[in-house]
Amino acid sequence: MITKDNIESAYCFFHQKWNIYSKSSSERQRDDIEYAIGNYANDMNRELYVEMSAGKSGFLLEHSEFAEDISNAIDYLEQLL
């Protein structure tokens, strides 16, 4: 079951991290953010993660796809708020 708290928590965390990530020129900082988001994604509400990822394997977990994935995740969560 997906609760409003699940949605709001994920949105706040992703949005905050994306704002830093998208403006950062530090590869280390960007890697740290990817790591934090990956850990969050692994521990978040499974039902919400599955819906948000639309079945995409490795969603929010792959370096090469991260920027696109987090942008899509934020857009998806905004629609649920």
Side-chain angles (χ1 to χ4, degrees):
M1 179 176 161
I2 301 172
T3 67
K4 183 174 176 137
D5 282 344
N6 297 140
I7 296 164
E8 289 174 348
S9 295
Y11 177 79
C12 288
F13 188 70
F14 292 167
H15 190 266
Q16 176 196 40
K17 296 301 183 196
W18 174 245
N19 282 335
I20 298 166
Y21 183 93
S22 64
K23 295 170 179 71
S24 178
S25 60
S26 168
E27 284 303 313
R28 179 164 172 83
Q29 184 179 42
R30 292 169 67 101
D31 287 345
D32 288 347
I33 290 170
E34 288 182 34
Y35 180 77
I37 293 290
N39 282 337
Y40 187 93
N42 284 328
D43 292 335
M44 71 183 289
N45 178 287
R46 280 295 95 195
E47 190 176 342
L48 178 58
Y49 178 82
V50 168
E51 285 187 22
M52 186 173 53
S53 69
K56 181 179 177 186
S57 178
F59 187 73
L60 295 171
L61 305 174
E62 303 291 330
H63 176 74
S64 62
E65 306 278 327
F66 181 79
E68 180 181 348
D69 286 353
I70 194 164
S71 179
N72 289 340
I74 291 167
D75 289 344
Y76 174 81
L77 293 167
E78 280 179 346
Q79 293 174 22
L80 298 179
L81 292 175

